[in-house]
Amino acid sequence: MSLEGQLLDQKSLRAVTGKTADWNEIAKDCIAFANATGGRLLLGVEEGQDAPPAGQHIPADLPDTVRRKLAERTVNVTVLPDVVTAPNGGQYIELRVPRSLAVASTTDGRYFLRVADQSKPVTGDDVMRLASERSALPWETQTTLHVPRGEVDGGKSDKLLRALRASDRVKASVKEKSDDELLEHYQLAQGQSLTNLGVLCLGRQHHRAQLTTAPVIQFIKYDEHGQKVNKLVWDDHTQSPTELIEAVWLEVPDFRERYELPDGLYRQNVPAFDEIVVRELLVNALVHRPYTQRGDIFLNLHPDRLEVVNPGPLPLGVTPQNVLHTTVRRNEHLARLFHDLKLMEREGSGFDKIFEVLLSQGRPAPELIETHDRVQVTVRRRILKPEVIDFIAKADQTYQLTQRERIALGLLAQHDALTARELATTLELPSVEALQPWLKRLLDWHLVQSAGRTQATRYFVDPGLLRSLKFTGETTLKRIEPHRLAALVLEDLRRYPESAISDIHKRVGGEIHPKQVKRALEELIERGAVRFEGNYRWRRYWAVA
């Protein structure tokens, strides 16, 4: 049994039986699944468990009761309950909820959408977005152009079918299908016609141009004064989305520029823009764009950064704040095709990979901006700390770090030290408690050290490990211990009595967090070592002789 997530939720049997039954909550989850990509609700399996209680029995009339109660509370929702017996003998109801063809809601007009492992309400303008994004037939499977199967581009079709049959992500039973069956399996054709997805991937040039929303990519290079110095355009519709990725990477010479960094007696070559990052950005732009909306994809190359601008907002349920942890596929069948061709990770880990690669190369994390009509991702060219590259590589070689651990370690190595709250905010986590899977093993291995408690806990890379890996970072006071900071503040006040806290902060170390200085002063006042006069910004401090 899987863990709860985008396609699965678990509820105790008490949620649908007796006085504890909460039918409105069950209806909310079913509506959320129906408005997303469908899902399963396991009734009788407690949250966090992988099996029902041993010996649990499902009353014979309960599946019909579930179907009736939910039908009374929902609109455009289909539920398919089945009683399943687990290996331990316990029974539970597997409630399958298919994706609805129309917008699903409660009978009193409330809307919900499944985002990661939560069923979130849809309100305001997002209701209109939900309705517009959920036509009766997805854009990919429509056959509005009525292009016959025989009009496919033979070269593109043969190349795609060979790639699918060679992929280890395609099941053996699927590879055994005939060419026509394989096209139908991937929704590239229906009956005697190509679908819009089929025209996009296999059609001839003039058919692809007739789609009107077939992707067009523009690469524009700017100098340090913001003036255009080069432009490349892929707008002739001769290439499918899979071919566009390769064409852009090969035809833009700037993507293959490299830095030379000193590495002892040798020189280390580091790409100006990593191939993995560029390809992931292109895949995200092509797979997650709304194909019902016109607009070109722009690659704007500035001396210090690359901006990838995609038409349309993020898929409903995804925001710049939760992009690391949320998976919503706008074009389900195109995403499946890209996944099986090994061009992307279907689980939504593409942005995580961009984070990992950039941070492991000593670069800042990507910046994501969303407006009403476009999404912009910015990656920086400059390497903030070249020494981080060697550090992360050697640490990974020694400890076989997970992707999350490499991201967290890269962040801490770049910032010297971060509080729990700062780290949770940077990683887009809902609370500091969610940091555990990112840091637990790093702390156990003493790769990362901590000081302080709760949200004020400061995490930093172990100095001993940095020395052993020849990590030559600058000396910093961010990791200073509280008692040493208090002694430093007291000595400062003996030399400069009647000081404001801002002046103390500047003198003892501007890199120290202001709240640490404030806590040190409060501790000294409580001990009677420091006194003050005035309030707020007029407060001044003296050391007590």
Side-chain angles (χ1 to χ4, degrees), residues 161-395:
L161 294 173
R162 281 199 306 270
L164 287 171
R165 288 195 168 96
S167 172
D168 56 9
R169 292 184 179 178
V170 179
K171 295 179 182 177
S173 58
V174 175
K175 293 180 181 180
E176 292 172 0
K177 294 179 182 290
S178 67
D179 289 353
D180 285 341
E181 290 173 336
L182 206 56
L183 293 182
E184 291 188 358
H185 178 78
Y186 284 98
Q187 302 297 322
L188 297 166
Q190 284 184 9
Q192 298 303 313
S193 300
L194 293 178
T195 62
N196 286 343
L197 180 60
V199 173
L200 195 64
C201 297
L202 305 176
R204 299 180 186 275
Q205 179 184 9
H206 63 282
H207 292 144
R208 196 175 294 108
Q210 290 173 21
L211 282 176
T212 70
T213 55
V216 171
I217 299 178
Q218 295 192 43
F219 168 81
I220 303 175
K221 183 177 180 179
Y222 298 87
D223 62 16
E224 59 272 15
H225 304 296
Q227 302 295 318
K228 295 180 183 179
V229 294
N230 191 20
K231 182 176 181 178
L232 298 172
V233 181
W234 294 265
D235 62 349
D236 57 3
H237 302 297
T238 58
Q239 295 163 313
S240 68
T242 56
E243 294 170 330
L244 277 174
I245 296 171
E246 192 69 21
V248 172
W249 172 253
L250 293 176
E251 293 175 27
V252 178
D254 303 83
F255 288 157
R256 278 173 296 288
E257 291 182 6
R258 304 183 74 85
Y259 289 105
E260 271 200 355
L261 299 175
D263 185 13
L265 296 175
Y266 306 97
R267 309 289 290 179
Q268 183 178 10
N269 282 316
V270 178
F273 295 100
D274 193 278
E275 181 177 358
I276 293 174
V277 172
V278 174
R279 287 182 181 271
E280 286 288 352
L281 289 171
L282 288 170
V283 166
N284 279 336
L286 290 166
V287 171
H288 299 304
R289 60 167 291 164
Y291 279 90
T292 54
Q293 177 178 334
R294 293 190 181 191
D296 296 356
I297 298 169
F298 287 91
L299 306 179
N300 299 325
L301 181 63
H302 298 267
D304 63 334
R305 68 191 185 278
L306 172 66
E307 298 170 348
V308 180
V309 183
N310 207 26
L314 290 166
L316 192 60
V318 181
T319 67
Q321 290 72 42
N322 68 9
V323 70
L324 267 181
H325 313 285
T326 304
T327 303
V328 176
R329 294 184 292 276
R330 178 177 268 142
N331 303 297
E332 174 75 20
H333 304 296
L334 183 59
R336 181 171 66 141
L337 186 63
F338 268 61
H339 169 267
D340 287 0
L341 291 172
K342 304 178 78 169
L343 295 172
M344 67 175 290
E345 295 297 327
R346 196 159 179 238
E347 294 76 13
S349 61
F351 219 77
D352 303 49
K353 190 67 178 178
I354 295 172
F355 262 76
E356 176 195 348
V357 172
L358 290 176
L359 292 173
S360 66
Q361 291 180 351
R363 291 185 168 98
E367 303 160 23
L368 181 64
I369 299 172
E370 179 187 26
T371 66
H372 70 284
D373 65 345
R374 66 187 179 96
V375 175
Q376 176 179 307
V377 181
T378 303
V379 293
R380 299 288 170 178
R381 181 180 190 137
R382 187 166 64 94
I383 296 177
L384 296 178
K385 291 195 172 183
E387 57 270 27
V388 170
I389 303 171
D390 199 35
F391 167 58
I392 296 293
K394 291 181 179 177

Side-chain angles (χ1 to χ4, degrees), residues 480-535:
I480 190 169
E481 293 150 337
H483 69 279
R484 296 188 185 277
L485 178 58
L488 197 60
V489 169
L490 186 58
E491 181 61 25
D492 180 81
L493 286 175
R494 285 173 179 155
R495 297 186 182 189
Y496 305 97
E498 197 178 354
S499 290
I501 188 172
S502 58
D503 296 326
I504 299 170
H505 183 210
K506 289 177 185 176
R507 289 194 295 265
V508 300
E511 68 266 42
I512 301 173
H513 199 286
K515 288 186 178 180
Q516 290 178 249
V517 178
K518 188 173 184 292
R519 283 195 293 270
L521 278 169
E522 289 171 350
E523 180 190 349
L524 290 168
I525 292 169
E526 187 176 344
R527 281 168 31 195
V530 168
R531 65 181 180 87
F532 67 90
E533 291 180 8
N535 290 307

Side-chain angles (χ1 to χ4, degrees), residues 263 268 359-362 385-399 401 405-416 442 446-449 460-473:
D263 185 13
Q268 183 178 10
L359 292 173
S360 66
Q361 291 180 351
K385 291 195 172 183
E387 57 270 27
V388 170
I389 303 171
D390 199 35
F391 167 58
I392 296 293
K394 291 181 179 177
D396 190 28
Q397 183 180 5
T398 305
Y399 297 98
L401 306 176
E405 289 163 349
R406 283 192 292 272
I407 291 174
L409 195 60
L411 278 171
L412 293 173
Q414 284 194 29
H415 289 84
D416 294 318
L442 299 178
H446 305 292
L447 283 173
V448 170
Q449 290 187 351
F460 53 93
V461 176
D462 174 55
L465 179 64
L466 300 185
R467 285 194 298 271
S468 68
L469 293 178
K470 299 180 182 179
F471 188 102
T472 55

Side-chain angles (χ1 to χ4, degrees), residues 80-97:
L80 306 169
D82 288 314
V83 177
V84 180
T85 302
N88 65 359
Q91 291 184 324
Y92 65 93
I93 295 178
E94 181 182 38
L95 191 66
R96 288 178 289 120
V97 184

